[in-house]
Amino acid sequence: MNITPRKLNTFIIFKLPAAYFCGVRTKHIDDSKCIVSIKYRWINQNPFKSMFWAVQGMAAEFSTGALMISKIKASGKHISMLVTSNKAIFTKKATGRITFTCNDGHLIDAAIKEAIETGEGQTIWVKSIGVNEEEVEVSTFNFEWSIKVKQ
């Protein structure tokens, strides 16, 4: 079964309803990248007339996690995954439509390969960059994912 944006958006409805109601939507996924979008609205605002940082984090994390899920599924192995740490930098107010892109498919491939070959857990830092409609960077999120092949 191929993972598509439509399937990921259905997944969000049932498994991540808070993200769904805030407007997190997958726009594109392939072997190298995942693009997730969210629009500034009343439900995801902060008191400063921009998007709440945690809502940006949901979209950014999903762009990295969806890519991780896709890669794990393609490996054919049972692999657990968990965010163990994160870092974020905010450079501009997030208003309008914000698009988060994770381009780290190659890093995920290497970590999964290492986990399968060694049988040991691996950690990997994966980045998602959020830009507004003018392609101006508004935030950058880095997530440390821990993966381990299940026995």
Side-chain angles (χ1 to χ4, degrees):
M1 178 173 84
N2 199 15
I3 292 182
T4 64
R6 184 175 180 161
K7 289 177 184 173
L8 288 168
N9 290 333
T10 301
F11 174 84
I12 291 173
I13 292 169
F14 294 106
K15 298 294 184 181
L16 303 167
Y20 177 78
F21 288 117
C22 285
V24 174
R25 300 294 185 272
T26 307
K27 298 299 182 185
H28 174 84
I29 188 165
D30 62 26
D31 281 343
S32 61
K33 70 181 172 186
C34 181
I35 301 171
V36 173
S37 174
I38 187 164
K39 187 173 182 178
Y40 168 66
R41 301 182 311 177
W42 173 85
I43 197 163
N44 61 29
Q45 70 181 333
N46 64 26
F48 311 107
K49 298 184 179 163
S50 63
M51 193 179 299
F52 186 53
W53 70 269
V55 173
Q56 292 180 64
M58 284 192 291
E61 181 186 355
F62 196 74
S63 71
T64 66
L67 197 51
M68 185 78 70
I69 289 168
S70 176
K71 298 290 188 173
I72 288 171
K73 187 162 187 60
S75 78
K77 301 288 185 183
H78 293 286
I79 300 174
S80 62
M81 55 187 268
L82 179 68
V83 171
T84 55
S85 183
N86 73 346
K87 298 176 187 173
I89 299 169
F90 302 92
T91 51
K92 186 169 175 57
K93 286 177 90 168
T95 57
R97 181 162 300 281
I98 308 301
T99 303
F100 287 91
T101 304
C102 175
N103 289 308
D104 291 341
H106 63 288
L107 298 175
I108 296 169
D109 284 334
I112 289 173
K113 181 180 178 193
E114 185 73 15
I116 292 169
E117 289 176 357
T118 66
E120 296 179 7
Q122 302 292 315
T123 60
I124 177 176
W125 281 95
V126 185
K127 183 186 339 185
S128 183
I129 299 173
V131 298
N132 63 16
E133 293 156 310
E134 291 80 37
E135 297 295 317
V136 175
E137 188 174 313
V138 298
S139 58
T140 300
F141 284 81
N142 290 283
F143 296 95
E144 182 183 41
W145 285 93
S146 173
I147 59 172
K148 186 171 183 179
V149 178
K150 296 179 188 177
Q151 299 302 334

